[in-house]
Amino acid sequence: ESAVQQRTIMEEKMNLQYIVTGYKDNYSIMEDSLILDGYRIEMEGFQKLDFNKVTKVVAYMISIDGNYKKEENLLETLYRDMWENAYLDAIRWNIMIEQKEEDTDIESFAPGLSNMKLSCMNILYHLLQGEQIGVTISDKMILSPLKSCAGFFVIHRDEVLEIDFCSTCKAKGNFCQYCVQRKDLKNETNLFHG
């Protein structure tokens, strides 16, 4: 019951905003970089993408800012945090579904994941003009409000991209729950195929 009450309180005070920008023809690939509106986003593995099969690149930034009371207890904080994460995931999922075209698949990329340097967050922040939705970025590439995220989707035709990000990752996939879960998910279901 407390979790549902916290969701109601959060929804009343929550300020959820997002920016989505699609690039159909105005992107290019150069070695290990994706170029969007003149901004260069580097990541080992881009050279493995067949950009002849890419139909669109979609960049996004999502932010949740709440005006919460400081005296909430630990359980209320936990529930609020869980609901905010659920809302971020749901918005990101909806953006993905809205951008999907018939007979295409989607790959997701984000700074700090998929072997993309965290410094690319600064590039996405400026590309998307995050300040328009009240987001700021620190010199350590941390977005504020803390419940903010940014990344992009590559929408492509025909087949699932087989990019082994672990081969170029510094952690080499050792005990990396992100990579393990991602591989398991792709093996269990292919939600975006066809």
Side-chain angles (χ1 to χ4, degrees):
E1 184 177 313
S2 182
V4 175
Q5 290 171 341
Q6 189 59 34
R7 176 183 172 197
T8 303
I9 293 167
M10 186 196 76
E11 286 177 338
E12 291 171 359
K13 297 180 178 187
M14 178 175 60
N15 181 18
L16 188 147
Q17 296 186 71
Y18 60 94
I19 299 171
V20 178
T21 303
Y23 300 89
K24 254 194 174 318
D25 298 315
N26 50 343
Y27 63 84
S28 61
I29 187 83
M30 184 186 307
E31 296 176 8
D32 62 349
S33 300
L34 174 67
I35 314 292
L36 298 173
D37 278 348
Y39 288 92
R40 184 177 177 154
I41 301 170
E42 295 180 39
M43 184 186 83
E44 291 181 42
F46 275 145
Q47 66 270 31
K48 296 179 183 178
L49 294 173
D50 183 353
F51 270 78
N52 292 320
K53 294 184 177 183
V54 172
T55 61
K56 185 173 21 174
V57 176
V58 178
Y60 67 88
M61 181 173 287
I62 309 166
S63 177
I64 295 177
D65 188 14
N67 186 11
Y68 306 105
K69 58 184 178 184
K70 301 282 187 217
E71 63 273 0
E72 66 185 11
N73 68 41
L74 187 58
L75 190 57
E76 289 171 340
T77 302
L78 174 67
Y79 287 144
R80 178 179 44 82
D81 188 62
M82 290 169 44
W83 280 117
E84 287 175 339
N85 287 343
Y87 275 80
L88 279 176
D89 288 346
I91 295 296
R92 189 176 166 282
W93 180 268
N94 283 336
I95 293 168
M96 224 179 343
I97 297 303
E98 287 175 6
Q99 297 300 323
K100 186 178 181 332
E101 300 165 351
E102 189 173 332
D103 296 324
T104 61
D105 290 312
I106 298 177
E107 289 292 325
S108 178
F109 302 91
L113 299 172
S114 309
N115 207 23
M116 184 183 299
K117 295 176 184 175
L118 189 57
S119 60
C120 291
M121 185 64 77
N122 193 40
I123 296 164
L124 278 171
Y125 176 80
H126 287 93
L127 174 70
L128 293 167
Q129 300 175 347
E131 68 277 358
Q132 290 183 5
I133 60 169
V135 174
T136 59
I137 188 167
S138 75
D139 57 347
K140 298 202 185 292
M141 303 303 122
I142 297 171
L143 297 178
S144 180
L146 291 179
K147 291 295 178 179
S148 301
C149 64
F152 61 93
F153 304 114
V154 174
I155 295 106
H156 55 95
R157 290 187 310 275
D158 297 329
E159 69 228 23
V160 175
L161 296 176
E162 293 298 329
I163 303 172
D164 183 12
F165 293 112
C166 294
S167 67
T168 56
C169 177
K170 289 183 174 52
K172 297 288 185 210
N174 297 327
F175 306 107
C176 174
Q177 288 303 308
Y178 173 75
C179 290
V180 170
Q181 290 174 3
R182 185 173 190 218
K183 286 177 188 173
D184 288 347
L185 180 63
K186 280 196 173 192
N187 290 336
E188 288 176 23
T189 181
N190 191 353
L191 297 173
F192 300 113
H193 187 63

